[in-house]
Amino acid sequence: MSKIIIANWKGHPAIEAEAVDLARASDFSGMVICPPKQFLKTVSRVLKNAVLGAQDYAPDIYGLGCRYVIIGHSDRRRLGDTNALVAEKMACAVSDGLTPILCVGETAEQRACGKTESVITEQLRIGLSKIQTLVRGEGKGEIFVAYEPVWAISVEPGASPDTAFHAAARIAFLKKQVLQYSSWKWEMGNGKFLYGGSITSANAHSFLTPIDIDGLLVGAASVQPIEIQKIWQLTQHPENNH
Ligand code: PGA
């Protein structure tokens, strides 16, 4: 199974012509490109191999060409998205036929207090709680979960990536939890589990190697064409595909 890369452009680039250039430079199969909302339509016309994603749920994104959507990113949680709101967005995304990418992750303070497992379990449990079935909508019936420790996201002061070993252990933990907390039947084919936080072309290989990590959610490095191309190339290596 080849591994997937989600490119979260966040607020970049500033102008449409740059968004077109960046989309062309990142247009590989196995990539999901999540541009700022104002560029969704334009980028959807450019992509031939990559698939379009949105950075947050909105009722119009499927019609704009999105097939994936990031939900519960720490940027949104900081702006007020509660676990309950995340759950609503997850359910709407599934019934629209989108594949939602549910982000979970603990802050530096929660980590320091030893609360990582309880925080990510709660985010996962509530985030999935309003999804009744995966067969509604026209989607492929998939849900992705991204483990993104907040302290590892590159814009956080003093951020550094998790270790691949630790990230894989957290993801293995989340896989067990998901079986417990989904009311519908979760089958391995329904889900992918990703890591995100300070991924670069220099460290991506170590995160792509563990069998439990199905792909990466990449922020800052995804708006640098050479970086994102190198990261994508790593997913093509047979030893990274289990
Ligand atoms: P980063 O961002 O790769 O710049 O750390 C990841 C994210 O915020 O999704």
Side-chain angles (χ1 to χ4, degrees):
M1 183 176 72
S2 81
K3 301 210 172 180
I4 191 158
I5 305 291
I6 316 282
N8 181 9
W9 291 2
K10 305 193 192 182
H12 305 280
I15 57 169
E16 192 176 74
E18 286 172 9
V20 168
D21 289 346
L22 184 56
R24 289 205 174 109
S26 331
D27 186 18
F28 303 110
S29 112
M31 290 269 308
V32 177
I33 313 257
C34 304
K37 189 163 186 207
Q38 69 269 27
F39 300 139
L40 284 174
K41 212 171 189 171
T42 308
V43 170
S44 89
R45 292 199 197 106
V46 169
L47 298 180
K48 295 192 167 55
N49 305 300
V51 184
L52 190 68
Q55 295 179 16
D56 194 16
Y57 177 76
D60 59 343
I61 57 175
Y62 190 94
L64 290 169
C66 295
R67 295 298 174 264
Y68 290 80
V69 55
I70 298 171
I71 297 178
H73 191 277
S74 55
D75 289 345
R76 306 285 162 185
R77 293 184 189 267
R78 202 175 285 120
L79 292 173
D81 278 20
T82 58
N83 282 334
L85 183 55
V86 167
E88 298 285 346
K89 290 180 176 182
M90 289 289 294
C92 290
V94 168
S95 68
D96 286 1
L98 294 154
T99 297
I101 304 158
L102 170 62
C103 295
V104 302
E106 79 285 7
T107 62
E109 296 73 41
Q110 290 163 337
R111 180 194 194 203
C113 303
K115 290 188 180 156
T116 299
E117 291 199 347
S118 62
V119 168
I120 62 178
T121 298
E122 198 69 348
Q123 290 173 334
L124 187 76
R125 184 179 67 77
I126 303 176
L128 297 177
S129 62
K130 290 205 154 22
I131 298 171
Q132 305 301 333
T133 167
L134 279 182
V135 292
R136 272 193 296 168
E138 300 160 21
K140 286 193 278 174
E142 289 179 325
I143 290 184
F144 289 9
V145 176
Y147 174 56
E148 287 216 311
V150 180
W151 47 266
I153 294 179
S154 65
V155 291
E156 292 291 309
S160 61
D162 202 347
T163 63
F165 178 79
H166 183 260
R170 293 289 185 229
I171 287 172
F173 170 80
L174 285 166
K175 284 186 180 177
K176 283 203 192 105
Q177 301 296 304
V178 99
L179 291 171
Q180 195 173 337
Y181 290 119
S182 52
S183 51
W184 25 268
K185 193 164 178 286
W186 182 286
E187 289 163 4
M188 271 316 164
N190 297 137
K192 282 195 167 53
F193 291 78
L194 317 173
Y195 167 78
S198 294
I199 287 292
T200 64
S201 64
N203 64 23
H205 177 75
S206 65
F207 287 93
L208 287 167
T209 313
I211 197 160
D212 276 317
I213 304 181
D214 300 318
L216 303 173
L217 205 169
V218 185
S222 74
V223 292
Q224 298 173 41
I226 304 288
E227 272 292 278
I228 198 64
Q229 286 167 7
K230 284 188 183 164
I231 293 169
W232 177 79
Q233 274 158 10
L234 291 167
T235 67
Q236 304 303 296
H237 288 189
E239 78 268 18
N240 289 333
N241 294 315
H242 307 286

